[in-house]
Amino acid sequence: MSIIDDILAYNRVFIENKEYEKFQTTKFPDKRLVVLSCMDTRLEELLPKAMNLRNGDFKHVKSAGAVVSHPFGSIMRSILVAIYELNAEEVVIVGHYDCGMSVINADRMMAKMKEKGISEETFSIIKNSGLRLHSWLRGFDCVEDSVKQSVEIIKNHPLLPKQVPVHGLLIDPTTGRLDRVVDGYELANPAK
């Protein structure tokens, strides 16, 4: 049986037993918060518990390394949707110690792509279209600096209201300890 077959079999029982009822909430975050975090598996349950957030409290956006790599990409769009359409009033970027993005190597990843059948022609087409794969696939050297950079991109976005606080935190993926990197209240500018 495949993973998807297992998931669907479990889901039938989940629905029959009405286990979904304990998760019911609205699409609007009760704590008016949007959180961008890393997709690291260690954070799935730890991060909300460590932040005292439950189902329905926040909008959760994820990316590798909690990175906003493009000011007009899907991560930023999701944050803007949370603010303008879903009543979020604050943004929190949560990076974490021991992040896999700190050891990402573009050459190594591209070699793995080739091993899995991505052709040289595909790499050539991408290169000739203007995308710099080495930059796009690169990780970061310092998680704290990466969080600061993502906060900067969001805070300085031309479509973000100036009064929206954008915070930066780091979480320990073992203990859940949170460390403040950027205090968004200090950066918020209510004049505008």
Side-chain angles (χ1 to χ4, degrees):
M1 188 177 275
S2 73
I3 292 173
I4 295 302
D5 290 336
D6 287 345
I7 289 171
L8 292 173
Y10 175 86
N11 181 257
R12 285 188 284 281
V13 174
F14 180 86
I15 299 301
E16 288 170 13
N17 294 338
K18 297 186 179 187
E19 292 181 46
Y20 56 84
E21 290 178 347
K22 62 185 169 192
F23 301 106
Q24 290 179 332
T25 185
T26 72
K27 65 182 178 180
F28 301 100
D30 292 337
K31 291 191 176 179
R32 298 184 178 266
L33 191 64
V34 57
V35 174
L36 169 61
S37 74
C38 184
M39 62 185 195
D40 190 296
T41 55
R42 298 172 291 179
L43 302 180
E44 284 298 313
E45 292 186 47
L46 178 65
L47 183 131
K49 298 264 193 265
M51 294 179 72
N52 191 30
L53 298 172
R54 63 169 185 77
N55 190 51
D57 280 347
F58 67 115
K59 290 298 182 187
H60 198 177
V61 180
K62 295 180 183 182
S63 73
V67 171
V68 179
S69 58
H70 192 285
F72 288 94
S74 61
I75 298 297
M76 191 64 215
R77 180 181 59 221
S78 296
I79 291 168
L80 292 171
V81 167
I83 290 167
Y84 286 107
E85 297 295 325
L86 302 170
N87 301 329
E89 295 176 349
E90 297 189 34
V91 179
V92 182
I93 310 306
V94 185
H96 66 93
Y97 300 104
D98 188 35
C99 184
M101 285 298 288
S102 67
V103 294
I104 292 293
N105 176 288
D107 288 325
R108 187 176 63 234
M109 187 181 296
M110 289 168 59
K112 289 178 181 179
M113 290 174 182
K114 290 175 187 176
E115 288 172 12
K116 295 205 180 266
I118 306 302
S119 69
E120 281 295 337
E121 180 184 16
T122 299
F123 286 107
S124 179
I125 290 168
I126 291 170
K127 180 181 178 184
N128 291 328
S129 70
L131 182 64
R132 295 182 349 218
L133 274 179
H134 280 85
S135 296
W136 187 64
L137 293 174
R138 184 182 180 283
F140 48 75
D141 296 324
C142 174
V143 68
E144 185 173 324
D145 290 344
S146 179
V147 167
K148 288 177 184 177
Q149 183 176 4
S150 288
V151 167
E152 279 291 311
I153 289 170
I154 296 167
K155 188 62 192 162
N156 294 317
H157 198 279
L159 300 177
L160 186 86
K162 296 297 179 205
Q163 70 273 17
V164 172
V166 182
H167 310 279
L169 302 175
L170 287 173
I171 187 169
D172 181 315
T174 303
T175 66
R177 184 191 81 243
L178 292 165
D179 296 319
R180 186 185 336 233
V181 175
V182 177
D183 184 340
Y185 298 126
E186 289 179 359
L187 298 177
N189 180 2
K192 210 175 186 185

